[in-house]
Amino acid sequence: MKKLVIVFLTFILSLTFFSNFIPPIDNSYLTSAFAEFRSTGDSPHFHGGIDFSSFLKEGIPIKAVYDGYLVRIEINDSIYGNVVVLQHPNGYRSVYAHLSSFSYKIQPIVDDLISEFGTNKIIVNFPENEIIFSQGEVVAYTGKTGEAIQPHVHVEIRNSKETMIFDPMGFIKPKPLNGEIVLKELVIDGQKYDFVEGKTYEFKGKYPRLSINAFLQVNKNIIGLKEIKLYFSNKLVYHIMFDEIPMEEMYKPFTVYTKDSIAAGYIYKAYYKLYPDTIGYSVKVNNFPTLNQNLDFFPVTIELYDPWERKKTFNFNLRRSN
């Protein structure tokens, strides 16, 4: 009984920590979601965090999402640009990227490093509790260093060993955006179709090799999804969820996305792969091995969830062709 009480209290304490994280920019909003496809940099990869708007401005203050101490700064990284990493007492780390400048506690150190090493990539680790930040204290200022196209702040949540990266939406709760969950295209056995609710599509082989172009549409901005569930004849067949990703899989996005996905600059068109090819950590359910191979015609339901876990359901039919 005592052990159960301890476990319960630990769980409640964790929830309290999560609920006490704050957004890094005042009155801002989400512009990109966790685990979106990226084809920038040296290799395609998952988007490791979430992005907050800085209203197209550099120099907007970025606040510590929770109490913590400075673990590391990085300067001139080709993807992340300038970076601050904080360690929090709940065991998690927060990462802030694409910075234009740093807190007054850090900037003199950065200036000295740049004067010595110039534009080379610089990484500096700091002793525990040497430089401390309170929740809400300014740690840096927004910019567009690294691969950023427009000024914003990219925020990640990692474990203390930085072997696992988590969806920051499980910790930070930005205001929900008004938008529409869209299922725009189906790709079946390599053939692209505009999605039409209730339509019947054909496939070949043992099972349909189905992928989808789907997203949350917010004005002109496209935001990636949190979760996808695929049902054949009301049976859950495939389930993708972006809750956490091992760091070793960050550069393996094709476990979830197809190779004709693209995300570079202002172009974003990603196709979620809803069939077993190379299975990664984000694939939570794969029931394709248990499918009845004699199904020649069946209803299909796809449930799509946005980053705030709002759901929209889409329906169509599949027929095996000769």
Side-chain angles (χ1 to χ4, degrees):
M1 182 64 181
K2 184 177 180 181
K3 183 177 180 180
L4 288 175
V5 171
I6 293 173
V7 170
F8 177 75
L9 289 175
T10 302
F11 175 72
I12 294 299
L13 184 60
S14 298
L15 289 179
T16 301
F17 275 126
F18 294 174
S19 64
N20 285 342
F21 275 66
I22 63 171
I25 298 179
D26 290 338
N27 303 314
S28 185
Y29 54 89
L30 194 75
T31 59
S32 294
F34 179 65
E36 290 181 355
F37 180 77
R38 292 290 184 269
S39 51
T40 51
D42 297 332
S43 179
H45 55 279
F46 290 106
H47 187 228
I50 58 178
D51 293 341
F52 285 88
S53 172
S54 62
F55 321 105
L56 302 178
K57 297 179 181 179
E58 295 194 49
I60 300 296
I62 299 168
K63 298 181 177 182
V65 297
Y66 199 74
D67 298 339
Y69 63 86
L70 182 64
V71 170
R72 184 172 73 252
I73 59 172
E74 299 179 16
I75 306 169
N76 300 326
D77 182 84
S78 61
I79 294 179
Y80 286 81
N82 298 332
V83 178
V84 164
V85 182
L86 301 183
Q87 174 69 49
H88 304 293
N90 56 8
Y92 294 94
R93 290 185 174 182
S94 58
V95 179
Y96 312 81
H98 307 310
L99 315 174
S100 62
S101 58
F102 299 80
S103 159
Y104 73 93
K105 295 180 178 179
I106 307 173
Q107 191 64 51
I109 301 170
V110 171
D111 292 340
D112 288 344
L113 290 168
I114 291 176
S115 66
E116 183 173 355
F117 298 104
T119 58
N120 293 313
K121 181 176 178 178
I122 306 166
I123 300 175
V124 179
N125 295 295
F126 292 84
E128 182 176 343
N129 291 319
E130 181 177 88
I131 300 178
I132 297 174
F133 288 92
S134 300
Q135 184 183 51
E137 185 177 352
V138 174
V139 297
Y141 297 87
T142 60
K144 55 179 182 178
T145 55
E147 66 174 8
I149 302 299
Q150 294 288 354
H152 68 280
V153 63
H154 170 89
V155 177
E156 297 184 6
I157 303 295
R158 302 176 180 178
N159 63 353
S160 59
K161 294 182 179 180
E162 299 194 40
T163 57
M164 187 69 76
I165 192 163
F166 303 93
D167 181 5
M169 294 288 284
F171 301 75
I172 305 167
K173 299 297 184 183
K175 182 180 178 181
L177 295 172
N178 293 324
E180 180 183 3
I181 299 175
V182 176
L183 174 53
K184 187 173 183 180
E185 292 178 281
L186 303 178
V187 183
I188 304 172
D189 300 332
Q191 180 67 45
K192 292 182 180 179
Y193 304 91
D194 291 335
F195 172 74
V196 178
E197 180 76 17
K199 185 175 178 178
T200 297
Y201 301 87
E202 293 190 341
F203 73 97
K204 296 180 180 180
K206 294 181 179 180
Y207 56 81
R209 298 173 68 85
L210 172 68
S211 55
I212 61 172
N213 174 218
F215 44 83
L216 175 66
Q217 181 84 54
V218 181
N219 298 320
K220 294 183 179 180
N221 192 28
I222 289 175
I223 296 178
L225 300 173
K226 168 76 171 186
E227 193 172 357
I228 302 171
K229 293 181 180 180
L230 173 67
Y231 297 84
F232 291 170
S233 299
N234 297 317
K235 176 185 177 181
L236 180 62
V237 176
Y238 212 66
H239 179 202
I240 295 171
M241 182 166 65
F242 298 120
D243 54 350
E244 57 187 30
I245 299 175
M247 194 65 77
E248 62 186 16
E249 287 197 16
M250 285 302 296
Y251 285 86
K252 297 179 181 179
F254 298 124
T255 57
V256 173
Y257 296 99
T258 66
K259 292 191 175 180
D260 55 350
S261 299
I262 182 170
Y266 293 102
I267 302 172
Y268 187 82
K269 196 169 189 179
Y271 293 89
Y272 298 96
K273 186 166 49 180
L274 302 183
Y275 59 88
D277 187 357
T278 303
I279 300 295
Y281 190 88
S282 298
V283 177
K284 307 302 183 180
V285 174
N286 171 28
N287 282 326
F288 274 90
T290 67
L291 279 182
N292 181 352
Q293 301 300 329
N294 295 321
L295 284 175
D296 293 324
F297 180 90
F298 49 93
V300 177
T301 298
I302 295 179
E303 294 176 354
L304 304 180
Y305 298 78
D306 73 8
W308 290 269
E309 298 287 356
R310 296 174 298 195
K311 180 179 75 171
K312 188 171 181 180
T313 301
F314 301 85
N315 297 279
F316 58 98
N317 302 303
L318 283 174
R319 176 192 294 127
R320 193 192 309 271
S321 63
N322 295 326

